[in-house]
Amino acid sequence: MSELSPNDAHANRVKWESFWVCVGVACLTILDIAKINVGLPSVEDSLGGGATELQLIVAGYALAFGLALVPSGRLGDIRSRRTMFLIGLTSFILASLLCAVAPTIEILVIGRILQGVAAGIQMPQVLGLIQQLFQGRDRGKAFGLFGAVIGLSTAFGPTLGGLLIAIGGHEDGWRLLFWMNIPLGMIAIWFAWRLLPKTQVHEAGAKNLDVTGILLLGAATFSLMLPFVLTTGGPDDDPARWFWLVGFVVAGAAFVWWERRYLRIGKSPVVHFGLLRLSSYRNGILIATAYFAAIPAMFLIVTLFLQQGLGLEAVFAGMVSIPFALASAVTSWLGGRLVNTHGRSVVVLGVVLAGLGIGATLPIAAFASEAWMPWLLAAVLAVAGAGGGFVISPNQTLTLQDVPVTQGGVAGSVGQVGQRVGTAIGVAVASSTFFATLYAEQGLDNPVEIYRDAYLRGTTIIVALLVLALILSLLDLRKRAVSA
């Protein structure tokens, strides 16, 4: 095998350095989804607020994230991914500062929504830049590493959050969750400015920004996610919130009509529906949506059960997810290599393992003693983590494998919208089931038994979502086998 020339070696080194800048910033955004869960009791004691405000701190971030993704991905594709990356990162730092100093629960909710917008600006650029930097087998390796690091961030988030709360104290330790973003973000800006590619290939033809399409898509996404974001499982939930789904249907239909008309008159729409005719892309988005409806909800339910039900300190409740993180990191790295030869079967294996691991928590929650329960949950979550690593990075590779590089940002952002919608729906349905059980059984004598029942019902929803992801994966595997 011939050695790389000095110029090629330098280019390869810069490419991987750019990759790690992207992955590092993606970690910051994902950590802010995961680590806040263990901070909610601390926030409630410090600033007050009810179930709706606490739900908005978690789900409002996901809602804003989802709304910003597609227009930001489109701008990155037609203008500059590097510039959009820097704008998103700077905005994320400023929003984190607002959260860190928030004097009231309302200001914290606003800060979290602004954080979500900033994260939605950043993430499409990360995916577009990875598409731009790597081709062929190297892209599978890159997404494997990306998935490994994201898996670690997702699962170590609760542990990190609990540790920071222990350091800062229960009253104000949650503020450290946001203060940590500021120095890390400033370091990332310096590296991004130096290393990210200043040029990129653009698609031929029109490079206009479809403002009407963006607004219609935003209205459809907002109307779909909002009723789930406002669902807490409490008796005060307003049934009228479901009328927002009518707005989703109307805005969604208007969006499809407008985009088709826009393309007919020779302009470039915000979403090329031709991408959805790619079965690899379409099926990958559906699988990721179902999977991301399940896993973030699982972390939230486990954390609530351990902290509120069993009375574990935040740091110990967070540590239960460490085996998930370690197993996920290993299989994400491995999956990035196996996907080039084994394809969708890797994802099928991953979903099965994730379902078995999370399903095994049900008898543990029902019958295990309180002393043994955290240890047993940690053990079976390692199986779920091994499965998760085989899902995320291989599915990302398969989803984008047929997408033109020039559309990598918007294609990745549409997939991310699916993930954020899935997260909002999954968290809302599972957590509202959890809390509705608490409200319904609050008169019973044994509080631990009440939380056991709440966990069983909430996690049953999560297992059902993973079964849906498995069905979609098997259908895609069959289609690939027929097409081969």
Side-chain angles (χ1 to χ4, degrees):
M1 184 175 177
S2 60
E3 295 184 1
L4 293 174
S5 69
N7 286 340
D8 289 340
H10 174 73
N12 191 58
R13 179 173 59 81
V14 171
K15 179 172 64 175
W16 281 102
E17 288 174 347
S18 300
F19 167 80
W20 286 114
V21 171
C22 292
V23 171
V25 171
C27 282
L28 281 181
T29 63
I30 298 301
L31 276 172
D32 260 66
I33 298 175
K35 69 189 179 186
I36 194 63
N37 290 339
V38 296
L40 293 178
S42 177
V43 170
E44 186 175 17
D45 290 344
S46 176
L47 300 180
T52 299
E53 288 82 7
L54 295 178
Q55 174 80 336
L56 284 172
I57 289 172
V58 178
Y61 182 93
L63 173 60
F65 198 152
L67 290 174
L69 281 165
V70 172
S72 302
R74 179 63 180 159
L75 278 170
D77 285 347
I78 65 176
R79 300 289 188 235
S80 168
R81 296 183 184 119
R82 178 177 180 270
T83 299
M84 292 298 294
F85 184 97
L86 291 168
I87 290 171
L89 181 52
T90 303
S91 302
F92 190 78
I93 293 170
L94 294 174
S96 297
L97 177 60
L98 179 61
C99 291
V101 301
T104 66
I105 192 74
E106 292 81 10
I107 297 298
L108 179 58
V109 169
I110 291 170
R112 283 289 288 172
I113 291 172
L114 293 175
Q115 265 194 318
V117 172
I121 295 172
Q122 287 171 191
M123 189 60 78
Q125 318 317 323
V126 170
L127 298 174
L129 284 164
I130 294 175
Q131 284 273 90
Q132 177 181 334
L133 291 167
F134 300 98
Q135 288 79 40
R137 297 182 69 86
D138 281 347
R139 184 178 291 171
K141 290 168 59 179
F143 276 123
L145 288 170
F146 177 75
V149 178
I150 294 303
L152 284 170
S153 301
T154 301
F156 269 113
T159 305
L160 176 61
L163 181 61
L164 290 172
I165 290 170
I167 292 171
H170 185 74
E171 184 70 20
D172 286 314
W174 62 269
R175 296 184 187 274
L176 294 180
L177 305 180
F178 302 107
W179 279 117
M180 66 165 282
N181 294 337
I182 296 168
L184 293 176
M186 292 175 70
I187 292 170
I189 284 178
W190 185 77
F191 280 107
W193 183 266
R194 289 184 63 244
L195 295 172
L196 293 186
K198 296 180 175 62
T199 60
Q200 67 189 63
V201 176
H202 295 95
E203 63 180 313
K207 299 180 179 62
N208 53 284
L209 186 64
D210 179 8
V211 176
T212 301
I214 287 170
L215 292 175
L216 288 171
L217 179 59
T221 305
F222 181 83
S223 300
L224 174 60
M225 294 178 70
L226 185 64
F228 294 98
V229 168
L230 296 177
T231 299
T232 68
D236 296 329
D237 284 351
D238 185 357
R241 69 190 183 281
W242 298 114
F243 283 113
W244 281 98
L245 295 179
V246 176
F248 161 67
V249 173
V250 173
F255 173 71
V256 172
W257 171 81
W258 173 264
E259 293 294 277
R260 289 177 173 170
R261 175 184 177 277
Y262 207 65
L263 185 62
R264 281 199 306 271
I265 62 177
K267 293 186 177 182
S268 182
V270 65
V271 173
H272 291 264
F273 288 123
L275 289 175
L276 297 176
R277 288 195 288 270
L278 298 172
S279 62
S280 57
Y281 181 68
R282 181 182 64 250
N283 294 338
I285 289 176
L286 292 174
I287 292 165
T289 299
Y291 179 81
F292 277 90
I295 299 303
M298 180 271 295
F299 281 119
L300 178 60
I301 295 295
V302 168
T303 301
L304 290 170
F305 179 52
L306 294 175
Q307 284 188 258
Q308 297 182 1
L310 302 186
L312 264 65
E313 292 293 331
V315 64
F316 297 117
M319 289 174 68
V320 170
S321 65
I322 289 178
F324 184 106
L326 296 176
S328 176
V330 172
T331 54
S332 289
W333 173 81
L334 182 60
R337 283 155 172 74
L338 292 176
V339 69
N340 291 309
T341 52
H342 296 280
R344 182 60 72 189
S345 58
V346 178
V347 178
V348 171
L349 172 62
V351 177
V352 169
L353 288 175
L356 290 174
I358 295 174
T361 69
L362 293 171
I364 292 171
F367 303 113
S369 69
E370 294 177 42
W372 277 99
M373 200 177 300
W375 299 97
L376 293 172
L377 288 175
V380 297
L381 286 179
V383 178
F390 280 135
V391 174
I392 296 176
S393 57
N395 186 66
Q396 187 77 64
T397 302
L398 294 169
T399 301
L400 297 177
Q401 67 179 4
D402 298 322
V403 173
V405 173
T406 55
Q407 298 178 34
V410 74
S413 63
V414 171
Q416 286 280 319
V417 169
Q419 293 177 23
R420 300 289 76 79
V421 169
T423 296
I425 293 174
V427 166
V429 174
S431 65
S432 63
T433 301
F434 181 93
F435 284 116
T437 304
L438 297 183
Y439 285 116
E441 299 184 5
Q442 61 185 343
L444 299 182
D445 294 333
N446 190 335
V448 174
E449 291 302 318
I450 297 173
Y451 274 93
R452 286 181 191 262
D453 289 345
Y455 181 85
L456 293 174
R457 294 178 187 178
T459 305
T460 300
I461 300 293
I462 293 166
V463 173
L465 290 168
L466 288 172
V467 170
L468 174 60
L470 177 60
I471 292 171
L472 293 168
S473 300
L474 289 170
L475 289 173
D476 187 65
L477 180 65
R478 180 184 178 187
K479 181 173 181 58
R480 288 169 183 268
V482 170
S483 302

